[in-house]
Amino acid sequence: MDCIHEGVECPDVYIVERLFSSSLVVVVSLSMPRRMNVYHFKKGTEICNYSYSNNILSVRLNRQRLVVCLEESIYIHNIKDMKLLKTLLNTPSNPSGLCALSVNHSNSYLAYPGNPTIGEIIVYDANNLSAVTLIQAHDSPLAALTFNASGTKLASASEKGTVIRVFTIPEGQKLFEFRRGMKRYVSISSLSFSADAQFLCASSNTETVHIFKLEQHSPSREEESPTWSAYVGKMFTAASTYLPTQVSDMMHQDRAFATVRLNMFGLKNICALTTIQKLPRLLVASSDGHLYIYNVDPQDGGECVLVQKHRLFEGDEEPAEQREEEKPEDAVSQTSNQSYAATVALPSTPPSSTTLMGYSEDGGAQKGEVIPEHEFAEGPVCLDDENEFPPVGNQSN
């Protein structure tokens, strides 16, 4: 775990989103909750900023679109020049800023709540700026949404947190239904697909993280090798047709393929499935500043094994004299090359939308794209920070 950046000048950041592995970061701070800043975190150079009519609740981005979600409106920008393409006004009340944007910029599907009282999902095409479908996902209000990497599947959970469903996109047909639990309602804090969309993990305010396997059961295989469990399963399936709908649905819901028992309870956390050193891993980051890394057995599942634990905020213990050298006042004086934190420290000004001029490869400012074209290549992003994203003066359009 190597810290590649620490914004010590601005302690009140509450939203930060990074464009994949690039140095482009979107930041919103508590001191200016209506203003979004896009900046190059390694050089501390602000690229542009936008102000909105109300507090920003969430920001999502891919290589094509940047989406800003307020409680009752959504703003869709072209990320290459930050031009505002569409404003979705009077959207259903969304006090948590819940939304999901497909990381696949060839479709850029956007999902957000379609009703504040029940679990309706609106799927919107952020590339073509048109509505796609409305999914009746849950009886209770939505709590979590996420797309898989290709944007062909959408997972959702409601505020009850007992059932997680997966739908096809753009059709909106239900593919899978997983039961997280029955004994208690929980608050689902995150959902995340694996890169190949074979697994889906869910974390909540409880001590358990669940991993579900997305596989269709083949009845032909059961017929070829009949077992007692297969026979019982068939009897349950047949009996379910005579039972109430709620009971029948419960009998068809799959349980977790693998689980993790955390040594904490009640803390908000987020989870992700990834591959590290060619092995599948589950990452869990908790609000108390720890990152946990678990092994996942892709064949047999079961209880995952903790392999690493990292403390994320060790940088807070730096010597006092070093912190003195990095006071915000020093950064404010450098008006020609201000960091985002320095702009926050400046006296407040009336809300405004500012887009700075773009970058040329030779280091000069030019009118046009805010973000260099190579940031949007299909392959992995590799940055040479000495030559890419040269500093830009504070110039507005």
Side-chain angles (χ1 to χ4, degrees):
M1 290 287 294
D2 296 323
C3 180
I4 59 174
H5 174 73
E6 184 176 4
V8 294
E9 309 100 324
C10 189
D12 62 349
V13 169
Y14 73 98
I15 294 176
V16 57
E17 291 285 337
R18 185 181 181 187
L19 180 64
F20 300 103
S21 58
S22 75
S23 291
L24 278 162
V25 173
V26 178
V27 170
V28 183
S29 70
L30 290 171
S31 56
M32 302 187 74
R34 298 186 178 190
R35 190 171 91 168
M36 173 192 70
N37 289 73
V38 183
Y39 81 114
H40 185 293
F41 72 81
K42 289 186 179 178
K43 288 189 174 295
T45 305
E46 182 181 280
I47 297 173
C48 64
N49 66 73
Y50 267 79
S51 294
Y52 300 88
S53 59
N54 213 327
N55 289 357
I56 300 170
L57 300 178
S58 62
V59 177
R60 300 288 182 264
L61 63 162
N62 61 24
R63 290 188 173 96
Q64 197 72 24
R65 296 289 181 258
L66 187 149
V67 176
V68 179
C69 183
L70 311 187
E71 183 170 352
E72 294 183 344
S73 58
I74 294 175
Y75 296 80
I76 302 173
H77 295 264
N78 178 18
I79 198 171
K80 293 187 179 182
D81 58 12
M82 283 304 298
K83 178 182 178 182
L84 180 61
L85 301 175
K86 184 75 174 181
T87 304
L88 303 175
L89 295 173
N90 302 315
T91 56
S93 179
N94 184 12
S96 65
L98 177 63
C99 68
L101 178 68
S102 167
V103 297
N104 181 5
H105 60 278
S106 65
N107 53 48
S108 292
Y109 289 126
L110 171 67
Y112 59 94
N115 191 303
T117 58
I118 61 174
E120 285 185 353
I121 305 171
I122 294 175
V123 180
Y124 189 87
D125 185 337
N127 279 351
N128 297 313
L129 305 177
S130 59
V132 175
T133 188
L134 178 67
I135 302 173
Q136 304 291 339
H138 303 271
D139 295 330
S140 302
L142 296 170
L145 292 169
T146 191
F147 286 99
N148 67 332
S150 62
T152 57
K153 294 182 179 70
L154 175 67
S156 66
S158 74
E159 289 184 353
K160 288 185 177 179
T162 54
V163 175
I164 296 166
R165 296 188 171 101
V166 179
F167 302 90
T168 62
I169 299 298
E171 301 83 9
Q173 299 298 313
K174 185 172 70 174
L175 266 181
F176 300 97
E177 189 168 85
F178 303 108
R179 177 158 289 276
R180 196 213 59 80
M182 291 185 295
K183 296 181 180 179
R184 53 183 173 176
Y185 292 164
V186 302
S187 176
I188 299 290
S189 53
S190 72
L191 294 172
S192 179
F193 285 96
S194 60
D196 58 5
Q198 293 299 305
F199 299 95
L200 173 69
C201 62
S203 66
S204 66
N205 60 339
T206 71
E207 70 280 5
T208 307
V209 178
H210 296 79
I211 301 175
F212 304 96
K213 192 171 186 178
L214 282 67
E215 60 179 355
Q216 298 287 359
H217 301 289
S218 173
S220 59
R221 292 178 60 185
E222 291 181 0
E223 293 174 3
E224 291 173 5
S225 56
T227 62
W228 172 251
S229 61
Y231 174 78
V232 173
K234 287 182 180 179
M235 292 302 100
F236 268 100
T237 301
S240 68
T241 59
Y242 301 98
L243 296 172
T245 303
Q246 288 183 331
V247 179
S248 175
D249 289 346
M250 191 180 302
M251 293 174 64
H252 286 89
Q253 291 163 350
D254 289 330
R255 300 300 193 269
F257 171 75
T259 56
V260 165
R261 293 283 179 180
L262 305 173
N263 60 350
M264 57 185 174
F265 179 86
L267 291 177
K268 183 177 180 180
N269 56 75
I270 57 174
C271 60
L273 289 163
T274 187
T275 300
I276 301 175
Q277 297 174 344
K278 299 181 180 181
L279 293 173
R281 311 281 193 180
L282 172 73
L283 308 182
V284 181
S286 65
S287 58
D288 66 347
H290 286 95
L291 174 67
Y292 303 88
I293 303 177
Y294 294 86
N295 269 342
V296 179
D297 186 335
Q299 300 300 322
D300 299 325
E303 189 75 17
C304 298
V305 178
L306 178 66
V307 292
Q308 284 285 352
K309 176 182 176 181
H310 298 281
R311 175 70 180 168
L312 298 178
F313 302 141
E314 288 179 349
D316 292 344
E317 300 173 1
E318 63 185 354
E321 59 268 21
Q322 184 176 345
R323 291 197 298 269
E324 285 293 319
E325 294 173 2
E326 298 175 349
K327 286 184 178 179
E329 301 90 85
D330 299 333
V332 173
S333 63
Q334 300 173 1
T335 55
S336 61
N337 187 22
Q338 292 175 337
S339 66
Y340 166 68
T343 64
V344 171
L346 289 172
S348 59
T349 55
S352 62
S353 298
T354 304
T355 303
L356 303 187
M357 302 175 78
Y359 301 140
S360 64
E361 292 300 320
D362 61 3
Q366 63 178 9
K367 191 170 183 179
E369 291 182 341
V370 170
I371 301 171
E373 185 65 31
H374 54 261
E375 280 298 325
F376 305 95
E378 293 289 344
V381 177
C382 299
L383 290 182
D384 175 7
D385 285 327
E386 292 304 313
N387 298 316
E388 298 172 10
F389 300 108
V392 175
N394 260 341
Q395 302 173 0
S396 58
N397 285 347

